[in-house]
Amino acid sequence: MELYKEAVAQCLVAPLGEPVEKVMTMLRLPPEPEMGDYAFPCFPLAKTWKQAPQQIASRLAEEVVVQTPIASVQANGPYLNFTIADDILSQEVISGILAAGDDYGCGDEGHGHKVVIDYSAPNIAKELLFHHIRSTMIGHALIQILRARSYTVVSDNHLGDWGTPFGLLIAAYDRFGWDDQAGVEDIVQLNALYVRASAEAKTDPSFAQEGRQWFQRLEAGDPDARARWQWFVEVSLAEFQKVYDLLGVSFDYMLGESDYEPYLDDTVSLLEAKQVLSESEGALVVDLEAYDMPPFLVKKQDGTTLYGTRDLSTALYRHREWQFDTCLYVVDMGQSLHFKQLFQALKLAGQTWAASCHHIPFGLVLQKDAETGKWTKGSTRRGNASLLKTVLEDAIAMARQKIAESNPDLPNPDDVARQVGVGAVVFNDLRHRRVRDVKFDREAILNPHGETGPYMQYAHARCASVLAAAGLTPGEGVDYTQLREPEERALIRKLAAYPSVVAEAAREWEPSIIAQYLLDVAAEFNRYWARGNKDHTLRILRQDEPASTAARVALTAALRVVLRNGLHLLGVPTPDAM
Ligand code: ARG
């Protein structure tokens, strides 16, 4: 909570003889609600005041003049604790939230700052595997979070659509043909061809050679090679789009590695001009020994370019065309070295802005092995990597089943099942700090009592149903002194913190900060709700008490805004009933 911080600091200005700005930086948020809303630690004064911090706190407690909006000041050991008047705080927080609505949580510190986000970035000719959820949804959440804080964001799906694998794929198509199997989707056949091509290249050098030649032809703009490649891209994109639609993700740009083909020569020339290229076994590299890194490969012996070359061109292009202030690469941790090399190579080539490029790494997705019970990362080779589409469809089907059992009269069960299934998978992905591995247990993610998407969605739906039943306009004619229960005070203070939570998530590029906060809010709300079930006087809607009902309805409406806005930033849908 940052509300009234200045007012609190103001009453310390005279006793401390320090300007208000300075005092504001000294104030802390107390860890426990009983310690008030702000704490002033007295340790820093001990030396100059030649007194123990405890004594200073007692002395200040007497000197400070309490006035609105502050309700009380208390010495608490070496701290001075300030409490804001409940009714003033409630009114300010709740009416502020209701007035802001969808904009609550937005801020303007990102104004005039442009961020490019490179995310999702799957490879063409392969299906989206479960692990692709990570880059896709972390990237999506960061975009939403940064936009909420007024950053200008350019989102770019850096498709892997270029390189020797595509030469191999064309070679395989040429050799083995495409036997259109009835009932088998193109993407499945393409994927199978890709697997066959990679296997064949390992055992048959002549095939590998053919693949390299095809890629050279592709790079040279050969129309045959191009046409086939184009078709591979189309088949894949059509498939990717289905999954992106399900996840509710879209991109400003979907520039593939191939799109940088026209700039590769210039990139190599730039590196040459800056004298950062050297030859190594016939290949061109940027030597990074001085930085304790292996050389960064720019051109292979056969003159073809690589993933890294295209990343150099991509970064240069983005900086030139979009003039970003920051460029974020949301890519798994396994590529950390690649990005260190990339950024270092750019710096060596005189691109000082490379210091504004950051790798945003994340951990693996682990699935429980049915036989051993161990958590493992699926592998395409062993054939136990799940498709993202399958995981989502499975979660949706399970959610549908639950609805059929527990809420058979729900008017739009298929829509809600989709929202709940997808929300469960997404929330599970964003719940913990992104560098941690995600454990995926298909039963657990749908458990409405666990720290799950459905748990959050239930809290939101509960608010929605209370509001519908209330039949009031929330916030109208409210007497805020009615909100004096400890749960209410705690909830209101949590809701007040939401904008600073979003700001922190934007600063740290960490969606889980919002997820953890929302879990906290939902838990607090559930405690409140549970007490209302036991004790009639604590119920939100009470026919015998219109004043308390109006105040609690306003609180519920504010709560709903926070849950909805927060889940929206994470890409978790919020059905009104489930
Ligand atoms: N397509 C790559 C892969 O699947 C990820 C690309 C990430 N972005 C980038 N600019 N390198 O590994």
Side-chain angles (χ1 to χ4, degrees):
M1 201 186 74
E2 295 280 295
L3 275 177
Y4 300 118
K5 192 175 187 177
E6 195 174 340
V8 170
Q10 199 65 55
C11 54
L12 284 165
V13 165
L16 299 185
E18 298 278 4
V20 70
E21 294 78 21
K22 172 84 193 289
V23 183
M24 278 173 80
T25 65
M26 298 169 85
L27 289 173
R28 299 283 169 266
L29 295 181
E32 301 295 335
E34 306 79 62
M35 301 177 179
D37 295 311
Y38 289 101
F40 179 78
C42 299
F43 312 98
L45 303 178
K47 233 183 169 167
T48 34
W49 289 34
K50 298 200 173 54
Q51 263 183 330
Q54 282 85 341
Q55 288 173 300
I56 301 178
S58 320
R59 183 172 141 194
L60 284 174
E62 277 169 28
E63 272 178 44
V64 162
V65 183
V66 175
Q67 52 190 5
T68 352
I70 298 162
S72 71
V73 181
Q74 255 176 345
N76 183 354
Y79 293 93
L80 194 60
N81 290 342
F82 292 84
T83 304
I84 308 291
D86 284 333
D87 55 336
I88 296 183
L89 188 76
S90 308
Q91 145 116 41
E92 173 89 14
V93 172
I94 294 174
S95 57
I97 294 174
L98 296 182
D102 290 349
D103 290 334
Y104 186 58
C106 293
D108 55 14
E109 73 274 11
H111 196 77
H113 190 107
K114 193 185 262 187
V115 186
V116 172
I117 300 203
D118 176 318
Y119 74 122
S120 198
N123 293 333
I124 295 294
K126 295 203 238 176
E127 292 191 75
L128 289 180
L129 296 178
F130 185 23
H131 72 79
H132 284 108
I133 183 128
R134 299 234 65 197
S135 174
T136 307
M137 294 318 290
I138 294 169
H140 178 72
L142 290 179
I143 290 165
Q144 309 260 85
I145 293 166
L146 290 169
R147 288 196 172 135
R149 305 304 299 183
S150 300
Y151 290 86
T152 304
V153 181
V154 178
S155 68
D156 187 13
N157 184 347
H158 189 73
L159 295 168
D161 62 355
W162 208 241
T164 17
F166 292 92
L168 286 175
L169 202 55
I170 299 174
Y173 187 90
D174 220 36
R175 246 200 212 189
F176 315 121
W178 181 270
D179 55 285
D180 217 341
Q181 301 159 49
V184 181
E185 290 170 281
D186 283 349
I187 184 72
V188 175
Q189 300 195 48
L190 185 58
N191 207 146
L193 194 67
Y194 186 95
V195 172
R196 186 166 179 190
S198 331
E200 204 77 15
K202 287 204 184 82
T203 54
D204 179 352
S206 74
F207 178 76
Q209 179 59 18
E210 265 171 52
R212 276 194 294 276
Q213 280 164 359
W214 270 112
F215 183 55
Q216 278 170 353
R217 286 176 67 179
L218 192 59
E219 280 211 298
D222 174 292
D224 268 358
R226 275 269 164 182
R228 276 175 211 177
W229 168 84
Q230 187 66 47
W231 185 70
F232 299 151
V233 173
E234 274 157 26
V235 167
S236 305
L237 285 184
E239 178 63 23
F240 295 168
Q241 196 55 52
K242 287 187 214 155
V243 181
Y244 291 143
D245 286 346
L246 208 49
L247 291 170
V249 170
S250 61
F251 306 89
D252 296 330
Y253 294 92
M254 278 201 171
L255 296 176
E257 290 182 41
S258 66
D259 287 295
Y260 300 96
E261 186 62 15
Y263 308 104
L264 296 174
D265 286 345
D266 286 350
T267 300
V268 176
S269 307
L270 172 78
L271 297 179
E272 261 163 4
K274 299 280 179 184
Q275 300 182 337
V276 292
L277 282 185
S278 51
E279 231 184 275
S280 166
E281 296 164 29
L284 284 180
V285 305
V286 178
D287 184 40
L288 296 173
E289 213 184 326
Y291 306 92
D292 267 337
M293 287 188 268
F296 192 60
L297 224 62
V298 174
K299 244 184 191 183
K300 289 200 256 187
Q301 285 143 313
D302 62 7
T304 52
T305 58
L306 304 96
Y307 177 58
T309 327
R310 294 185 282 280
D311 254 334
L312 288 166
S313 296
T314 304
L316 289 159
Y317 174 91
R318 287 176 179 160
H319 188 256
R320 188 171 62 238
E321 295 295 317
W322 298 333
Q323 284 152 15
F324 62 75
D325 299 289
T326 303
C327 181
L328 304 180
Y329 294 81
V330 187
V331 185
D332 69 273
M333 230 185 290
Q335 297 199 30
S336 295
L337 176 62
H338 167 76
F339 287 106
K340 270 197 206 138
Q341 292 176 301
L342 173 68
F343 303 154
Q344 190 57 54
L346 286 166
K347 279 181 206 157
L348 287 174
Q351 311 302 306
T352 47
W353 49 264
S356 324
C357 294
H358 304 275
H359 177 207
I360 306 295
F362 51 80
L364 305 168
V365 179
L366 303 178
Q367 283 178 274
K368 215 179 203 152
D369 188 289
E371 279 163 33
T372 65
K374 284 201 182 118
W375 292 99
T376 57
K377 88 183 228 222
S379 124
T380 340
R381 252 181 304 123
R382 279 182 284 127
N384 63 351
S386 318
L387 298 181
L388 177 48
K389 185 173 68 175
T390 314
V391 171
L392 292 171
E393 281 167 355
D394 180 50
I396 294 169
M398 282 170 60
R400 183 70 185 82
Q401 179 70 33
K402 286 191 186 220
I403 292 172
E405 286 158 14
S406 61
N407 197 358
D409 299 328
L410 196 69
N412 47 351
D414 292 327
D415 289 344
V416 175
R418 188 173 39 72
Q419 294 181 307
V420 173
V422 170
V425 178
V426 171
F427 192 81
N428 184 59
D429 195 73
L430 299 178
R431 183 158 71 101
H432 294 301
R433 296 195 85 83
R434 58 179 153 68
V435 290
R436 278 180 55 178
D437 292 342
V438 168
K439 286 187 177 165
F440 177 82
D441 171 341
R442 63 194 282 278
E443 301 282 340
I445 63 158
L446 281 159
N447 178 1
H449 306 294
E451 298 199 331
T452 61
Y455 169 77
M456 292 305 312
Q457 290 171 322
Y458 266 115
H460 171 269
R462 181 170 277 167
C463 294
S465 82
V466 168
L467 294 172
L472 295 174
T473 307
E476 236 166 56
V478 175
D479 166 12
Y480 285 95
T481 60
Q482 296 284 332
L483 299 170
R484 9 167 214 256
E485 295 301 324
E487 286 86 353
E488 291 165 342
R489 301 184 52 218
L491 255 179
I492 291 164
R493 284 165 166 80
K494 282 225 159 74
L495 299 185
Y498 177 65
S500 62
V501 169
V502 181
E504 188 188 343
R507 252 191 334 267
E508 300 199 10
W509 302 318
E510 183 61 80
S512 70
I513 291 174
I514 294 177
Q516 290 297 324
Y517 162 85
L518 291 175
L519 283 168
D520 235 34
V521 170
E524 193 71 57
F525 175 52
N526 287 344
R527 271 193 291 276
Y528 181 46
W529 184 266
R531 279 194 59 192
N533 279 342
K534 280 204 216 101
D535 177 351
H536 168 78
T537 62
L538 288 170
R539 293 185 79 94
I540 297 177
L541 304 180
R542 292 175 63 194
Q543 251 149 20
D544 52 338
E545 284 289 344
S548 100
T549 298
R552 289 173 182 173
V553 163
L555 172 58
T556 307
L559 184 64
R560 180 184 180 207
V561 167
V562 169
L563 293 174
R564 191 179 53 204
N565 292 4
L567 290 172
H568 172 77
L569 293 181
L570 299 179
V572 174
T574 47
D576 281 346
M578 57 194 279

